[in-house]
Amino acid sequence: MNKQMILHLLFAVLASCQSPQKEKVQTKNSNAYSGVLNKNQLVVKAKKLELGNTTAEAAAEFQPDTTINKKLVLENHLSSKNFYARIETVDLLERLRNSPVAMFSNASNSEYLLAYQYEGNTNHSFSCFEVGYMKDLKKVDVRKINLLSEKSFKTESGLELGLSLPDVVKIKGIYYKKATKGDEVLLTYRMNDLATSPFLMKYNMPGYFMEIKIKGDEVVKILFGFDYP
């Protein structure tokens, strides 16, 4: 009888020793699983490694810009009059880009703004905007450049010439495609999901794009708007 009691006590002690061990293994496995990154997390991690110390805003979903200086709006002919009171006098440049463009310059004549008018657009309604330095623009007919009192050109999210790559990523996020040529970097953001995008549905456009050219760690050109239908 005493021998049986001793055996029972021995088994109880052994069982109590094994239980914490099992629990420890389960906890370890749980931690290992939680460390697995999904595809989006891997993209975020890769971009952060590429850019160095970037803030949490860099992981934000891409939000499209539609305005210049909070006045001129894509696909909105009424905003053109608000942006430039004499919009009816503006002549379009026909051979500077694939589409006819209205050309504006800032007060110091150091920056240009091209407003693209696609075929079928309402008069003075523009589907794409391009901002750059005047010195980088090919020679154009100066009679068709419309001088503004604006100091510079900026989108509603804060994009403007002279920003650095980390600045751009902080504003627009990390979900871009990148192409490099010499000391030039081109970042491209796109939206192509017309069937599920409230933004594209609103404008009934097949796609939206934003291209940002960076040279010598400085934004030198910003092009954004809708794909040609």
Side-chain angles (χ1 to χ4, degrees):
M1 187 68 175
N2 289 339
K3 186 180 283 188
Q4 282 183 328
M5 287 181 66
I6 291 170
L7 286 173
H8 280 303
L9 287 171
L10 184 59
F11 282 132
V13 171
L14 288 172
S16 65
C17 289
Q18 288 178 352
S19 182
Q21 241 181 353
K22 185 177 182 182
E23 191 174 325
K24 188 175 181 181
V25 170
Q26 288 175 337
T27 303
K28 185 177 179 181
N29 288 340
S30 176
N31 289 338
Y33 179 77
S34 66
V36 176
L37 298 177
N38 62 34
K39 184 179 178 181
N40 288 338
Q41 288 172 317
L42 286 171
V43 171
V44 171
K45 187 174 181 181
K47 296 290 187 185
K48 284 186 176 180
L49 285 172
E50 175 187 323
L51 295 168
N53 293 325
T54 53
T55 60
E57 288 91 333
E61 184 179 351
F62 171 66
Q63 297 295 326
D65 284 296
T66 60
T67 70
I68 296 291
N69 292 359
K70 298 182 180 180
K71 296 178 183 177
L72 185 61
V73 185
L74 288 173
E75 299 291 320
N76 188 325
H77 71 282
L78 296 176
S79 73
S80 301
K81 180 75 173 179
N82 184 45
F83 182 71
Y84 187 63
R86 296 185 293 112
I87 192 67
E88 292 85 1
T89 67
V90 171
D91 291 325
L92 298 179
L93 290 163
E94 296 285 347
R95 293 181 293 276
L96 187 63
R97 295 292 186 265
N98 290 334
S99 297
V101 295
M103 183 174 179
F104 305 93
S105 70
N106 65 338
S108 63
N109 205 35
S110 59
E111 297 181 11
Y112 71 80
L113 165 65
L114 300 182
Y116 290 56
Q117 184 169 293
Y118 291 168
E119 186 177 354
N121 275 12
T122 304
N123 280 343
H124 318 307
S125 175
F126 305 107
S127 297
C128 180
F129 298 138
E130 177 184 332
V131 175
Y133 287 116
M134 192 68 76
K135 62 183 176 63
D136 295 329
L137 197 62
K138 292 179 181 178
K139 188 176 180 180
V140 297
D141 187 344
V142 293
R143 292 171 299 176
K144 294 191 176 183
I145 300 175
N146 303 280
L147 185 66
L148 302 174
S149 59
E150 311 284 337
K151 291 182 179 180
S152 61
F153 300 119
K154 182 186 294 188
T155 72
E156 68 266 34
S157 69
L159 278 184
E160 61 183 333
L161 301 179
L163 295 179
S164 67
L165 175 57
D167 291 333
V168 172
V169 173
K170 183 177 179 180
I171 294 170
K172 302 312 299 179
I174 62 173
Y175 296 103
Y176 57 78
K177 288 187 177 179
K178 176 182 171 185
T180 304
K181 183 178 180 181
D183 64 343
E184 290 185 355
V185 175
L186 183 67
L187 304 184
T188 303
Y189 296 86
R190 289 203 64 87
M191 295 180 70
N192 295 313
D193 50 340
L194 175 58
T196 59
S197 169
F199 175 79
L200 293 178
M201 288 179 188
K202 174 184 175 182
Y203 291 95
N204 192 29
M205 284 295 197
Y208 172 96
F209 68 94
M210 173 174 278
E211 294 181 353
I212 302 168
K213 183 186 285 187
I214 300 170
K215 186 174 182 179
D217 196 36
E218 177 186 351
V219 173
V220 296
K221 189 169 84 168
I222 302 166
L223 177 69
F224 66 96
F226 297 104
D227 292 330
Y228 192 89

